Amino acid sequence: MTDELSQGEIDTLLYESGVGVLALTDGAEAYSIPESFGYDGEKVYFQFVYTADSKKMRFLETTETATLTVYDEHPAKSVLIQGPIEVVPGKDETKAATAIAENASIPTLNVYTETTPEEFTMDYYRLEPTAISGRQFSAFTPTPDDQ
């Protein structure tokens, strides 16, 4: 059994999680990656760290609608956010940085040990939701009558 999450429950999960799985596509292949994010109650913000040959950035350029999945196991619930991802304009970078600082789970920047920090680019991006949905899953506990 599943129950729909209210907007308040969706917001709580997004504020408290700080990490999810971002799904992108090039039209033929899907590419899903864990990403830390910030949420301000309206938009989802990312600080992408990437190199010149980044698969993530290649897929980002061809994705019209991205999907971010955020979930918790206790209790089992999930939120799906869909929409386009765009570069955050300079005038909104402080807003992005604040949202990320407040609730993102930020990993070590240098995830490629053979790459030096000088080879990375860091940019803020945002996902403008066109659809948000959330569900909570009820655990099935068998009773003697179910056997």
Side-chain angles (χ1 to χ4, degrees):
M1 287 192 172
T2 62
D3 295 311
E4 296 295 316
L5 295 179
S6 69
Q7 186 60 50
E9 292 169 319
I10 288 171
D11 288 342
T12 298
L13 183 60
L14 295 175
Y15 281 122
E16 292 178 354
S17 293
V19 69
V21 178
L22 181 64
L24 307 171
T25 183
D26 67 359
E29 180 184 349
Y31 182 55
S32 298
I33 47 175
E35 281 293 337
S36 185
F37 69 88
Y39 178 66
D40 70 357
E42 295 178 19
K43 296 178 181 75
V44 176
Y45 295 94
F46 305 97
Q47 184 178 29
F48 291 148
V49 179
Y50 56 94
T51 60
D53 63 344
S54 168
K55 184 174 182 178
K56 171 175 51 182
M57 299 312 286
R58 283 195 317 272
F59 273 70
L60 189 63
E61 291 174 7
T62 58
T63 300
E64 290 183 30
T65 302
T67 300
L68 178 67
T69 303
V70 179
Y71 64 93
D72 191 0
E73 296 176 355
H74 304 287
K77 56 187 166 184
S78 64
V79 171
L80 296 177
I81 305 169
Q82 295 179 300
I85 296 182
E86 63 185 10
V87 174
V88 172
K91 66 181 179 60
D92 292 337
E93 283 185 356
T94 300
K95 189 175 190 176
T98 300
I100 290 167
E102 288 178 351
N103 72 294
S105 299
I106 300 180
T108 306
L109 282 181
N110 193 353
V111 294
Y112 305 104
T113 55
E114 67 280 1
T115 308
T116 65
E118 294 79 26
E119 297 174 79
F120 289 114
T121 300
M122 290 187 276
D123 289 313
Y124 292 113
Y125 282 78
R126 67 182 172 203
L127 190 156
E128 179 87 38
T130 56
I132 299 178
S133 62
R135 297 186 300 172
Q136 182 162 323
F137 306 90
S138 302
F140 175 71
T141 306
T143 65
D145 295 336
D146 294 322
Q147 298 179 17

